[in-house]
Amino acid sequence: MSDNQAPIEATRPDGGRHHVVVIGSGFGGLFATHRLADADVDVTLIDRTNHHLFQPLLYQVATGILSAGEIAPSTRQILKKQDNAHVVKGEVVDIDVDKQVVTTQLGDFTRSYSYDSLILAAGANQSYFGNDHFAQFAPGMKSIDDALEIRARIIGAFERAELCNDPAQREKLLTFVVVGAGPTGVELAGQLAEMAHRTLKGEYSNFDPSSAKIILLDGAPQVLPPFGKRLGRNAQRQLEKLGVTVKLNSIVTDVTDSSVTFKSTKDDSVETIDSFCKIWSAGVQASPLGKLVADQCGVEVDRAGRVPVNPDCSVGDKSNVFIIGDMMSLDRLPGVAQVAIQTGEYVAENIAEEAEGRSVEEREKFEYFDKGSMATVSRFSAVVKLGKVEVTGFIGWVLWLAVHLMFLVGFRNRLVSVVSWGLNVLSRNRWQLTTTRQQLHARNAIALLDELSGPGADAPIEVKDNRRFALNKILNKD
């Protein structure tokens, strides 16, 4: 056995200070790590990617407004000036809350880290509500890979339509189905409509891009359910003005390579839509690492994989194990960035103060400050809910721009994003529409390669990494 394959004892930073392991470099994990910068602790931040992802703007990568780097800066570069932070890239494959050890893998390298406090902020994956086979034909929107694949599918549909002489086949190619009328689905449908009617106008010789059909499906009776009926109706009207067909009370029952089938909850009627490009944004499932910890703490996760936590975000009787953000269930808080940020900072402050000698019993319970919700429908149009205050149209759009700009990490990313948004207002062109075959096919190709490779240890490294990721995803399934 080679050295990098040999079992390695759990390590921790030298010096003997309180060691905090943070799993996940999203909003919760990153803000927790930042808040511990001046604390008398050492921090190890572990994530399977090398970047911090601004997930609310993934749809702008998918539709060519922003590049991937502008919403996903390198975690190491973000934290390079924080002396007490150490970044580890790897897939977390085990957590032992009794031994206080986290084990990670990256390729053939396995490493274990002992901790004094653990912050679990691994976020959530796309949920297909028990129909995971839908994912082959309808990618979700949870990662840079997802956004780039969706971009390739969108542009690929238009390029195929240019070569197609059969009107029925061209109609299928130009029918885009977005499943899920939450913020991501609404924003994506709006941008698809703008691409078809504005961005791609005049770029194809054999058809008119504005003939594309964008269909938004959701099982709920309104668009944007958390925003309330008034804002939901406003968003739906704006989408319909853009040419989007909104079908509510519609539950998807099947997705194939060429169609989407859904059932009406009103009259049980069934309809099938022929479509080349399908996109799924209809649900989330918390990282299975939550169930891994919950089982050890004697706590039962909910249907979405979220872990019920104590008022201080700790789990069960483990006062040094915290679950935050999308992974936790507390006071029916939504899975939004602000919850992750505020729980991350709250937990970090408790750890810092207890490292200085404060007792665990002195913790105050977490209290969430709702800073509102917002979604953009198109250029100059957004809906914003700030408590009882509801804002729509241009003012809502300006608020949306300001808030999202504020939470982008890094001066360069903010500057480039402002320039990109400004150009999108002034010009119909988009400068991030490059696609590749690899973006389009890689996810399903790796899955097929996994099937062809069999269970042997000599499988390609891409397959072994993918198996670890897939195994991690199904840990929470019975």
Side-chain angles (χ1 to χ4, degrees):
M1 182 178 291
S2 65
D3 177 66
N4 64 350
Q5 293 175 313
I8 298 176
E9 292 185 4
T11 61
R12 60 185 296 135
D14 296 331
R17 293 201 298 182
H18 188 98
H19 184 212
V20 183
V21 170
V22 180
I23 300 176
S25 62
F27 286 110
L30 188 66
F31 274 75
T33 302
H34 274 316
R35 187 53 64 98
L36 291 167
D38 297 322
D40 188 25
V41 300
D42 289 304
V43 184
T44 298
L45 175 62
I46 303 171
D47 195 276
R48 63 171 178 256
T49 72
N50 73 331
H51 54 264
H52 162 69
L53 177 61
F54 193 102
Q55 201 171 94
L57 290 178
L58 272 174
Y59 78 96
Q60 294 205 1
V61 174
T63 54
I65 298 175
L66 298 177
S67 71
E70 285 150 23
I71 70 165
S74 163
T75 309
R76 292 188 184 278
Q77 290 188 7
I78 295 171
L79 296 175
K80 65 182 179 181
K81 294 183 179 180
Q82 185 169 330
D83 293 336
N84 69 338
H86 172 57
V87 177
V88 174
K89 184 177 186 294
E91 187 80 34
V92 174
V93 295
D94 190 41
I95 301 171
D96 190 322
V97 298
D98 291 326
K99 294 181 180 179
Q100 300 186 180
V101 172
V102 173
T103 302
T104 72
Q105 288 183 337
L106 178 63
D108 291 330
F109 292 88
T110 301
R111 295 291 182 268
S112 294
Y113 302 89
S114 64
Y115 65 81
D116 299 302
S117 294
L118 174 67
I119 302 176
L120 190 50
N125 305 310
Q126 203 72 61
S127 172
Y128 291 85
F129 307 109
N131 298 291
D132 289 349
H133 56 288
F134 291 178
Q136 180 180 355
F137 309 114
M141 184 82 82
K142 288 295 179 184
S143 69
I144 290 294
D145 285 337
D146 291 338
L148 294 177
E149 179 182 349
I150 289 169
R151 184 200 295 174
R153 286 175 178 257
I154 293 169
I155 300 301
F158 283 105
E159 295 296 342
R160 285 169 169 79
E162 174 75 355
L163 303 176
C164 183
N165 294 319
D166 179 2
Q169 179 68 7
R170 178 178 287 165
E171 182 179 359
K172 181 170 75 172
L173 287 166
L174 293 176
T175 299
F176 299 86
V177 178
V178 180
V179 182
T184 299
V186 166
E187 291 171 333
L188 187 57
Q191 287 304 315
L192 280 169
E194 283 207 357
M195 288 180 70
H197 292 278
R198 183 170 180 261
T199 303
L200 302 178
K201 184 178 180 180
E203 293 193 2
Y204 293 92
S205 303
N206 295 326
F207 73 98
D208 182 358
S210 66
S211 64
K213 297 179 181 178
I214 295 94
I215 300 171
L216 180 63
L217 299 176
D218 200 287
Q222 73 161 76
V223 168
L224 298 174
F227 286 65
K229 291 183 178 181
R230 178 179 173 273
L231 292 182
R233 286 195 297 266
N234 181 278
Q236 182 173 345
R237 285 195 299 269
Q238 293 301 318
L239 286 171
E240 290 170 344
K241 285 181 181 179
L242 292 169
V244 177
T245 299
V246 180
K247 292 181 177 288
L248 302 173
N249 301 294
S250 301
I251 297 177
V252 174
T253 58
D254 193 24
V255 180
T256 70
D257 63 337
S258 59
S259 67
V260 175
T261 301
F262 60 93
K263 180 179 180 180
S264 171
T265 59
K266 286 188 171 182
D267 57 15
D268 290 333
S269 61
V270 177
E271 183 178 345
T272 296
I273 300 173
D274 291 332
S275 171
F276 172 80
C277 183
K278 290 82 61 181
I279 303 166
W280 193 275
S281 64
V284 295
Q285 184 79 16
S287 166
L289 293 177
K291 187 176 189 303
L292 180 64
V293 169
D295 287 347
Q296 297 176 62
C297 296
V299 176
E300 187 173 346
V301 300
D302 65 16
R303 292 178 61 184
R306 294 182 295 249
V307 181
V309 297
N310 301 318
D312 62 356
C313 298
S314 64
V315 186
D317 61 355
K318 299 293 182 181
S319 62
N320 66 331
V321 176
F322 305 91
I323 294 182
I324 63 174
D326 294 354
M327 298 182 64
M328 73 172 192
S329 175
L330 177 66
D331 298 335
R332 304 183 70 176
L333 293 173
V336 296
Q338 272 301 318
V339 173
I341 291 170
Q342 292 182 37
T343 52
E345 292 181 333
Y346 162 82
V347 165
E349 288 171 0
N350 279 332
I351 292 173
E353 291 179 12
E354 288 161 17
E356 296 288 345
R358 196 194 72 180
S359 69
V360 173
E361 288 73 22
E362 295 180 66
R363 290 179 188 170
E364 296 182 359
K365 73 173 188 175
F366 171 72
E367 293 187 3
Y368 176 60
F369 176 65
D370 187 358
K371 296 184 179 181
S373 303
M374 53 186 61
T376 180
V377 182
S378 63
R379 287 179 311 131
F380 311 131
S381 179
V383 292
V384 178
K385 186 176 181 64
L386 300 169
K388 295 182 179 180
V389 178
E390 297 180 347
V391 184
T392 62
F394 180 76
I395 296 176
W397 182 71
V398 171
L399 288 172
W400 180 92
L401 288 175
V403 170
H404 284 69
L405 187 65
M406 181 171 61
F407 284 103
L408 278 171
V409 176
F411 172 77
R412 178 195 173 278
N413 289 338
R414 295 191 185 103
L415 176 62
V416 173
S417 295
V418 167
V419 172
S420 297
W421 291 335
L423 290 173
N424 186 51
V425 169
L426 298 173
S427 169
R428 65 182 181 84
N429 291 329
R430 300 191 181 194
W431 286 267
Q432 303 296 337
L433 292 176
T434 304
T435 67
T436 68
R437 285 194 179 94
Q438 182 170 315
Q439 292 169 354
L440 181 62
H441 299 297
R443 180 174 60 91
N444 287 328
I446 291 176
L448 178 59
L449 184 59
D450 190 0
E451 293 178 12
L452 297 174
S453 297
D458 294 330
I461 188 63
E462 294 84 2
V463 169
K464 287 191 283 187
D465 276 351
N466 197 57
R467 283 176 182 165
R468 291 178 185 123
F469 176 65
L471 178 62
N472 200 22
K473 287 184 69 175
I474 64 175
L475 281 174
N476 65 337
K477 294 185 179 180
D478 294 331

